[in-house]
Amino acid sequence: MSTSFNKLFSHLQVRVFSFFAISLLAILLIATGIESLIVSRLLTLSPATQQQLHALAAQANEFIKRKDIAGLTRWESQQAFTLYTLNPQQQPITQRPIHPHFVFKLQYSRQIEQPMGDRVRKPLIMLPLSNRLEDDQPLSLVIQLNADLHPAQQLNFALWTIRSVVGITVLLLFSYLLSRYLITPLQHLKRGTEALAQGKLDTRIANHFSTKEPEFYHLATEFDHMAEQLQQGMQNQKRLLRDVSHELRTPLARQELALHLLEGQLDDRHQASINRLRTEGEQMSRLINTILDYSRLNNAYIQLNYSQFDVGTLQSQIQQDCQFEAKPEQQIHWHNHDKLILHTDRQYLCRAIENIVRNALKYAGDQCEIHIETRAIDQDLHITIADNGPGIKQEELSSLFNPFTRLDEARHSSQGGFGLGLAIVKQCMKLLAGDVAATNHIDGGLMLTLTLPITHPLAPAALNSPESSKTQNATSDNQLAATS
């Protein structure tokens, strides 16, 4: 029986149903209890009405004190209420006739301080009179309350107000408890996924959950299993990259050594072949370095080294390095429209810009001019790198950042490229929470725009000190060198 019940309803469904059932029962019980406590007070005549009825009794007392029965009769008929002055036998002392229904209701008459009840719209209220006639019998004034003065007129509004206030209060309380029950495990899961996304592959969350909550506990254990598999996969990939790097570079090193030994044994006729083999070996080594570097950027979690620096320092560093590699008639111009302080990983940003500039130096022509412009738009830095080369076809722009992309016969590996430079740019910008886009310049040539936030969204709030920045930059240099 228990097994079949568990198949129909999960633990979470039963818990949620229990929350709602308890909240509904609490609303009913609390509202009923409050109504029973205050309903009698709500059905009591208001002070103004009581004062009005006491004034009528005082006027009747004056007529009886003067023994003016005729005046009392006229006075009773002129009032806005139906009222009679009665003796102990419940007979009127005036000559006015009394309706039989009024006589029937006399047995249910109430004192002025008593609750009026909500069943009779025009209850009878009996007020004793202090003055008496010659027979010395006690008299009383019986007044039929008008329906518009009955306190039950406001009872429905008061009761619905009580029910609404109680219902909203109880629902808010139980909603808060239910939300805590549901949101707390979701917060643990959210923090776990955020940590996992930041590369903390040893993150585990099952210890935050109890087996008494099977749905959340199973979800947490599945998350831990996924994180463990991901951690093992990343470790295997790093090991594979390391092994591939070693297995490929070792024979290349032996080949280089063999060529060096062979060079001393052969005459000048074979020197051209030796040089060709050496060139091919160097090209293969560069290709291995580039592929491993791209694989690392594309698949591995990389710990960024955040630092604070001026955009102007990028200009002096990149322009100096790239201009040194440029041909005599190739020019690089840099324009900073805004003086900006960035908080991001400097090495990956420099690498992205240098790859684009080197790509332009290779393919834009021996007399190309490269213009680099930086501009702040909202909270982003836009870096535009444009050359005056031939550009590329519009339909080929979408595949420009794909790995091993060569768009024409002129762009082949003999120029020193393997089609991975711009693919690495794409991955670098992704790491920096930015993007890169390519268009053809209106005046001819290719224009690439790098966009990245001025402050990386995952960067720590406290900026690093200059000494810490130097240490981080050196660490980043070592990370980049390790893949080469």
Side-chain angles (χ1 to χ4, degrees), residues 183-206:
I183 291 177
T184 299
L186 293 179
Q187 288 177 338
H188 289 307
L189 184 61
K190 177 177 179 291
R191 286 193 288 266
T193 54
E194 289 177 347
L196 199 63
Q198 294 174 13
K200 300 176 182 178
L201 301 181
D202 58 345
T203 301
R204 303 293 183 267
I205 62 173

Side-chain angles (χ1 to χ4, degrees), residues 44-200:
T44 303
L45 292 178
S46 66
T49 302
Q50 291 188 29
Q51 184 178 2
Q52 185 179 5
L53 298 184
H54 280 300
L56 292 175
Q59 294 174 18
N61 264 323
E62 290 296 324
F63 285 106
I64 294 173
K65 182 179 180 181
R66 297 194 303 266
K67 309 295 190 289
D68 186 4
I69 302 301
L72 179 62
T73 303
R74 292 192 301 271
W75 175 81
E76 289 180 350
S77 61
Q78 293 172 355
Q79 299 307 310
F81 299 92
T82 299
L83 49 80
Y84 295 92
T85 305
L86 304 180
N87 58 24
Q89 293 75 34
Q90 295 188 345
Q91 297 293 327
I93 64 175
T94 62
Q95 302 302 319
R96 293 177 62 235
I98 185 171
H99 196 278
H101 184 65
F102 194 95
V103 176
F104 172 78
K105 290 173 61 177
L106 284 174
Q107 58 185 322
Y108 302 106
S109 62
R110 297 174 178 271
Q111 300 298 321
I112 193 170
E113 296 86 3
Q114 289 180 317
M116 296 296 106
D118 58 348
R119 295 185 178 183
V120 181
R121 295 181 64 248
K122 296 181 179 181
L124 298 185
I125 301 172
M126 183 174 293
L127 289 88
L129 299 178
S130 59
N131 295 327
R132 302 183 181 186
L133 296 177
E134 289 82 355
D135 55 5
D136 200 30
Q137 292 183 336
L139 303 176
S140 58
L141 180 66
V142 179
I143 306 172
Q144 180 173 269
L145 188 68
N146 293 340
D148 59 337
L149 295 179
H150 198 295
Q153 296 290 336
Q154 304 297 325
L155 182 62
N156 285 336
F157 174 77
L159 293 180
W160 279 110
T161 301
I162 293 172
R163 293 164 187 167
S164 300
V165 171
V166 171
I168 293 174
T169 303
V170 173
L171 284 178
L172 287 176
L173 175 61
F174 279 89
S175 297
Y176 171 76
L177 296 177
L178 180 60
S179 65
R180 287 291 301 272
Y181 174 74
L182 295 176
I183 291 177
T184 299
L186 293 179
Q187 288 177 338
H188 289 307
L189 184 61
K190 177 177 179 291
R191 286 193 288 266
T193 54
E194 289 177 347
L196 199 63
Q198 294 174 13
K200 300 176 182 178

Side-chain angles (χ1 to χ4, degrees), residues 5-60:
F5 177 81
N6 291 334
K7 290 181 179 179
L8 290 174
F9 301 100
S10 68
H11 181 272
L12 181 61
Q13 288 174 317
V14 173
R15 183 63 65 90
V16 172
F17 174 80
S18 301
F19 269 102
F20 283 110
I22 293 174
S23 63
L24 179 60
L25 183 61
I27 291 173
L28 294 176
L29 292 178
I30 296 174
T32 302
I34 294 177
E35 290 174 9
S36 63
L37 289 175
I38 68 173
V39 71
S40 58
R41 184 180 298 273
L42 292 174
L43 291 175
T44 303
L45 292 178
S46 66
T49 302
Q50 291 188 29
Q51 184 178 2
Q52 185 179 5
L53 298 184
H54 280 300
L56 292 175
Q59 294 174 18

